[in-house]
Every structure is written in structure tokens, then in C-alpha cells.
Amino acid sequence: MTETLPRRRTGYRIAWAAAALWGAWAIARVSGADRLPIVGGFGLPLTALTPYAAATSIVPLGLALAARNRWAAVVAAGTAAAFALVLLPRAVAVTPPAAAGPQVRVLTANLMFGRADPAEVVKLVAEHDVDVLSVQEFTPDAQAAFRENGLDRYLPYEVLAPQWGAEGSGLYSRHPLTELPPISGTTLHQPRASLTLDGRTVHVTAVHPLPPIDPAGVADWHRTYESLPSADAEGAVQILAGDFNSTLDHAAFRGLLDRGYADAADSRGSGFTPTWGVTMMGPPLTLDHVVVPTSVAVRDYSVHTLDGSDHRAVLAVLRLP
């Protein structure tokens, strides 16, 4: 008996500690605590791991049941339910809005400092009849390689800001583009352009904030989200496509969606499909997005591996209102 009691107490304490840890994570996610100024280069990357916390939320429940700790089990069960409530909807496709406008196929790809295979990108553009291509980490060498591989045969119009390293981005289009003022005040170039489809004006932004892993990155990341246009801005259909360096679990990204947008992956029930960390590093995360007004119907969504890049390309087939 003298040995059993200390073991029970230890089991109780471990069960409570696990229930408290996972419970705190769930509370932070549900409340959007990562929007607080005190959450910086540690808390924001950690927020991206929320699906992994949810998937392992059976651990505290199992520990509580094993320790026969009824109240810890209640807390752990509530935590698992909270995670399910906020995460599982992204795995379920929603009924698209009634939209009878022109179709637009949008492809976005982070080229990993221009190292992604340009022939693969051009092949994707050709095979899927892409109308607009958004590229990030777009270098002068990548620009030349696209030209050599015949990208201009499919997407002859361009608004480009190539730079060495990660700073460059660009937009290619099947339709004539008019350059718009880019997202200003950010470290990485985020060009914008306008095109017209069947009388509808469409504005496209190549999105790429710094990753929020240090104070400078956190500040730049927040500036980008504050500067992106709302869905009804400028009397145009706004399409945002790129490496957002955020997931659906980040309050800033959800705040952007609250301004009249929908995430294409989420709309098609593919919100858990990873776009980064699959081929070269981990853990796999969904960082690349195509974001459209809620009045736009997302007809299809898919991701495609790119040799040479740590990101996967994202393709969204859209029907404008």
C-alpha cells in the first residue's frame, strides 16, 4: 500500500499536467490568443502545429483514464471536443455559391530561392490551362528559365519583381495585366495586378510575408495582413495567392477571411493538405493559399509537388460571380 499510493499520486499529477497543457493549447486556439502582441517568434510558429496537438489530444485522455482521474478525463475530453469543433470543418467541402461568371484557374508556387524546376511549373501551367500564375522567391535566374522553357507561350503577360534570395515575386497571366501599386512597407516584394474577364475587373496579389519566427518577421507578417485589401475593395474581385506563411489556425489569417474571403482549400475540404515540409523538411504544414471572395465558387483544388522546392504548388479552379 505504501508503494501504490505514491504511484497513484504521480499518475494523478501527470494526468492533470497533460490535461492542462493540451487544454491551454485548445483555449489559445479557440480564443485566438496568438493575435496578442506578447505572442511572437515562438508562439506564432507553434500555432501552426495545432493540428498535431489536436491529433495527439487523446494522450491526456488516455493518461487520465489510466490514472482513474475523473476530472482530468473530463478536461481532456472537453479539450479533444474543442479541437474537433474548430479543426474538422476544414476537412468538409462547403456548398459553393451560385456563380455564373468566367472561370479562372490560379496557380501559386514558392520556387525556393528560384531552385524549383521551371519545366515542371510550365508543364503544370500547360496541362491545367492556368490563367494566372503567382510565384514567390522568384529570382532573375528563374525569370530567364521560365522564358527558356516557353512560359510566355501560355502566359504572355507579366508583372514581375525578381530579386535574388527570397525577396522576389511575380505574376504571369494569360490575359493582359495592368500593374497596381504593390503591398508596401514589407520586406518581400508582393506585386499586384489587374485584369479584365468578360467585363469583370479582377485584382490579383502575389502574397509573401516574412515567416513570423523572429521580431522582424513577426512585424512584417502583421504588416502584410493589415495591408492586404478586403474582398470588396476597389470595386474588383480580389484574388490573393501565394505563400502566406500562416495556416487556418492563425488568428491573423482567419481575420483576413473575416473581411469577406474564403480559403480555396478550406472550401473544398482540403484544409489539412500540406503545402510545405513534405519533401525536404517538416513538420508538413499548409502555408500556401489561394484566397477569394466568398461570392467566388471554388470548383476544384489540388496541390502538386515541385522538384527543387520545399513547397508544393497550389492550383484553384474558380468561377467568378
Side-chain angles (χ1 to χ4, degrees), residues 28-113:
R29 167 59 181 84
V30 171
S31 65
D34 61 295
R35 66 165 56 91
L36 299 175
I38 60 173
V39 178
F42 175 75
L44 288 172
L46 200 63
T47 299
L49 302 178
T50 297
Y52 294 95
T56 57
S57 61
I58 60 172
V59 171
L61 181 58
L63 290 172
L65 292 175
R68 299 181 182 179
N69 188 329
R70 179 183 305 174
W71 291 111
V74 170
V75 171
T79 295
F83 275 131
L85 183 65
V86 297
L87 268 67
L88 288 183
R90 72 185 65 169
V92 180
V94 299
T95 302
Q103 181 171 272
V104 184
R105 296 174 180 263
V106 178
L107 181 70
T108 180
N110 182 308
L111 305 179
M112 192 182 174
F113 309 115

Side-chain angles (χ1 to χ4, degrees), residues 136-231:
Q136 307 86 51
E137 300 193 17
F138 176 62
T139 64
D141 282 350
Q143 180 182 6
F146 279 156
R147 187 180 303 114
E148 292 169 4
N149 281 273
L151 181 61
D152 57 346
R153 293 201 305 268
Y154 307 100
L155 305 177
Y157 304 100
E158 57 192 37
V159 171
L160 308 178
Q163 295 288 331
W164 298 114
E167 292 187 19
S169 292
L171 293 167
Y172 289 91
S173 173
R174 187 181 302 274
H175 310 280
L177 292 177
T178 300
E179 185 171 3
L180 297 173
I183 301 298
S184 61
T186 59
T187 301
L188 307 181
H189 292 282
Q190 301 183 71
R192 303 180 67 230
S194 176
L195 62 148
T196 301
L197 294 173
D198 292 351
R200 294 164 175 81
T201 301
V202 179
H203 289 179
V204 185
T205 303
V207 180
H208 194 202
L210 283 174
I213 57 177
D214 56 35
V218 170
D220 184 274
W221 188 81
H222 280 296
R223 276 196 301 271
T224 292
Y225 281 97
E226 292 166 359
S227 301
L228 289 171
S230 297

